[in-house]
Amino acid sequence: MGSVLTASVLLFDMDGTLVDSTASVERAWGRFADRHGLEAGAILAVAHGRPTIEVVTEFAPAGVDAVAETDRIEAEEIDRTDGISEVPGAAALLQSLDPARWAVVTSATRALTLKRLAAVGIPLPKVLVAADDVTRGKPHPQPYLLAARALGFDATEAIAFEDAPAGLTSATSAGAATVVVGGYRGEAAAGLPRVPDMTGVRVVLDRETLSVTLP
């Protein structure tokens, strides 16, 4: 048996944690880079887990309307769900949980999140904190603080599942016990428990406490 963590609620990132959208995201940023004569690799190196508007603002040449460009990227992503898939085990895990005990916390917009989750058969959350809902996105702790509060708990009573440095920093800064999903091994993941995907993650409700067993 693996390690066991306890919490009151569970908070899940979307891209890379519940949904494998790597190919789709890379294509979207590739199109953005091509439109503006930018190096796609430099954008992809820092884009994962951050709100689109922040990345566009950082890289767009002077004179480019960052809001309009962000809207274009988001619209393209909503229209193109080919190449995305469920992170193994994600749907089964969420289907086993009380909807009042988990939330999705993502840097994607609400519309894009709902489209991607539905496209791969993952239950839609009762509580969703998306890019539209925050004034400061990941790596700031605000998204995780808001999600825990919406469920009726403090972030220190939560376990967060994240795959990217911005999200890991956001979750740990909010005070959540944080689990790394996937292969990221940078500084933000140092010392944290990890799982390769959601397969084998087991959750049992014991009175008011969730016991989470990691494989």
Side-chain angles (χ1 to χ4, degrees), residues 1-210:
M1 181 178 292
S3 59
V4 178
L5 306 176
T6 59
S8 297
V9 290
L10 306 180
L11 308 176
F12 298 90
D13 173 48
M14 179 182 66
D15 290 311
T17 299
L18 301 176
V19 177
D20 184 352
S21 56
T22 301
S24 180
V25 169
E26 288 180 352
R27 288 195 297 267
W29 286 117
R31 291 190 295 270
F32 168 73
D34 289 344
R35 284 195 295 273
H36 301 292
L38 303 170
E39 173 54 52
I43 300 171
L44 290 169
V46 299
H48 191 48
R50 294 174 60 196
T52 303
I53 184 68
E54 290 186 6
V55 181
V56 169
T57 300
E58 180 175 341
F59 287 94
V64 171
D65 185 331
V67 173
E69 190 66 38
T70 299
D71 289 344
R72 177 175 179 174
I73 293 170
E74 294 285 346
E76 290 175 347
E77 288 290 271
I78 290 172
D79 289 341
R80 303 178 186 189
T81 56
D82 57 306
I84 68 171
S85 61
E86 171 205 2
V87 168
L93 175 61
L94 295 186
Q95 286 164 357
S96 75
L97 301 178
D98 178 349
R101 291 298 192 113
W102 65 276
V104 171
V105 187
T106 177
S107 293
T109 62
R110 180 170 292 268
L112 180 56
T113 300
L114 297 176
K115 184 69 175 287
R116 282 184 173 165
L117 293 176
V120 299
I122 289 177
L124 300 184
K126 179 179 179 180
V127 172
L128 167 62
V129 174
D132 323 55
D133 304 312
V134 300
T135 55
R136 301 191 69 177
K138 302 174 186 179
H140 193 275
Q142 186 187 76
Y144 279 97
L145 294 170
L146 290 177
R149 190 176 306 143
L151 290 169
F153 294 87
D154 189 83
T156 58
E157 301 173 274
I159 296 172
F161 290 84
E162 267 284 358
D163 72 307
L168 292 167
T169 300
S170 176
T172 55
S173 297
T178 306
V179 178
V180 184
V181 181
Y184 172 74
R185 295 189 177 275
E187 182 179 352
L192 299 178
R194 68 170 56 242
V195 293
D197 52 38
M198 307 310 289
T199 303
V201 177
R202 297 289 180 264
V203 181
V204 175
L205 177 61
D206 182 11
R207 293 189 177 92
E208 292 301 312
T209 300
L210 297 173

